[in-house]
Amino acid sequence: EAGVTQFPSHSVIEKGQTVTLRCDPISGHDNLYWYRRVMGKEIKFLLHFVKESKQDESGMPNNRFLAERTGGTYSTLKVQPAELEDSGVYFCASSQEDFNEQFFGPGTRLTVL
Amino acid sequence: GQSLEQPSEVTAVEGAIVQINCTYQTSGFYGLSWYQQHDGGAPTFLSYNALDGLEETGRFSSFLSRSDSYGYLLLQELQMKDSASYFCAVLIYNQGGKLIFGQGTELSVKP
């Protein structure tokens, strides 16, 4: 069974540009989460999808971040325009009905210059 | 607010036993999870405690005391490959589960 995949693995952009991150969850997992780890800090929750619906987006930093999950399969996280403080590793995770075991992807390392 | 405290780093030798503690202050507590992360890669689920007591999975065990807002991860018969970051994370249930992570404990296993 394939795990959670994320693309790209690394992205380096300049301040003000736009970046779109993609996450493909484990097949059949209705729950999809985005988390972010900024250098030296804890992994922080961004938002949670159940199928195509946003269940909880309380962790989204501001309106420069837009997450979608069309058709309840893969998800994208767009940052527009990117700021320096958006640099970090963005993790995606998915789970079945029981939320306690979340399967994480390898992350996308975003660097904003 | 939500906060979790765990030691930033721990060092032990091969074959030893190490305990990584975690205390938390959160609202909406549902359970305590532990994740392992090698070299900044994908965090990997190790264990979950929803009820007080000890859960054992091979060389790893996890303990929870809800009344003390405290838990720990116990690693036995340490191996070099156990060198990694270990995160405790509280599962919050509010119309869906989300994890609130501690800052992680860097475990170094020496020969």
Side-chain angles (χ1 to χ4, degrees), chain A residues 4 9 13 20 44 74 83 94 96 110:
Chain A
V4 176
S9 57
I13 61 172
T20 300
K44 280 200 161 181
Y74 71 91
E83 297 289 344
S94 71
Q96 294 180 313
L110 174 64

Side-chain angles (χ1 to χ4, degrees), chain B residues 25-89:
Chain B
Q25 277 190 309
T26 61
S27 56
F29 179 89
Y30 207 65
L32 185 69
S33 296
W34 288 90
Y35 283 79
Q36 179 191 61
Q37 185 187 41
H38 279 103
D39 300 323
T44 304
F45 174 82
L46 291 176
S47 68
Y48 174 72
N49 294 66
L51 303 176
D52 287 359
L54 192 68
E55 294 279 344
E56 297 181 68
T57 309
R59 295 187 297 113
F60 294 0
S61 303
S62 58
F63 172 83
L64 174 65
S65 168
R66 295 175 69 120
S67 60
D68 295 323
S69 297
Y70 164 75
Y72 66 72
L73 179 69
L74 190 73
L75 298 86
Q76 302 183 75
E77 301 172 21
L78 280 175
Q79 301 174 8
M80 297 294 288
K81 68 178 182 179
D82 297 329
S83 294
S85 294
Y86 292 84
F87 293 88
C88 59

Side-chain angles (χ1 to χ4, degrees), chain A residues 3-103:
Chain A
V4 176
T5 58
Q6 294 186 242
F7 182 83
S9 57
H10 293 79
S11 180
V12 180
I13 61 172
E14 294 194 349
K15 176 182 170 181
Q17 290 186 319
T18 297
V19 63
T20 300
L21 314 180
R22 173 170 170 146
C23 168
D24 286 79
I26 292 173
S27 177
H29 283 191
D30 289 339
N31 295 285
L32 186 149
Y33 313 82
W34 284 98
Y35 293 87
R36 174 174 77 169
R37 188 175 196 196
V38 173
M39 181 67 72
K41 300 199 171 181
E42 70 273 21
I43 300 170
K44 280 200 161 181
F45 169 83
L46 296 178
L47 90 161
H48 171 209
F49 283 100
V50 177
K51 297 184 180 177
E52 66 276 7
S53 299
K54 290 177 187 174
Q55 193 73 14
D56 180 354
E57 51 184 331
S58 60
M60 294 288 263
N62 50 61
N63 59 9
R64 296 185 294 102
F65 288 75
L66 175 64
E68 294 181 322
R69 192 182 182 194
T70 308
T73 54
Y74 71 91
S75 174
T76 58
L77 179 65
K78 180 192 287 188
V79 185
Q80 179 183 32
E83 297 289 344
L84 299 178
E85 63 265 25
D86 300 333
S87 295
V89 182
Y90 289 77
F91 290 104
C92 174
S94 71
S95 73
Q96 294 180 313
E97 296 81 21
D98 50 340
F99 310 107
N100 54 295
E101 185 169 2
Q102 297 184 15
F103 296 84

Side-chain angles (χ1 to χ4, degrees), chain A residues 37, chain B residues 4-11 18-23 34 70-73 84-88 102-107:
Chain A
R37 188 175 196 196
Chain B
L4 288 85
E5 296 286 334
Q6 54 180 126
S8 58
E9 53 186 41
V10 173
T11 301
V18 72
Q19 179 174 312
I20 300 174
N21 297 320
C22 175
T23 57
W34 288 90
Y70 164 75
Y72 66 72
L73 179 69
S85 294
Y86 292 84
F87 293 88
C88 59
Q103 293 218 356
T105 298
E106 186 72 34
L107 171 64

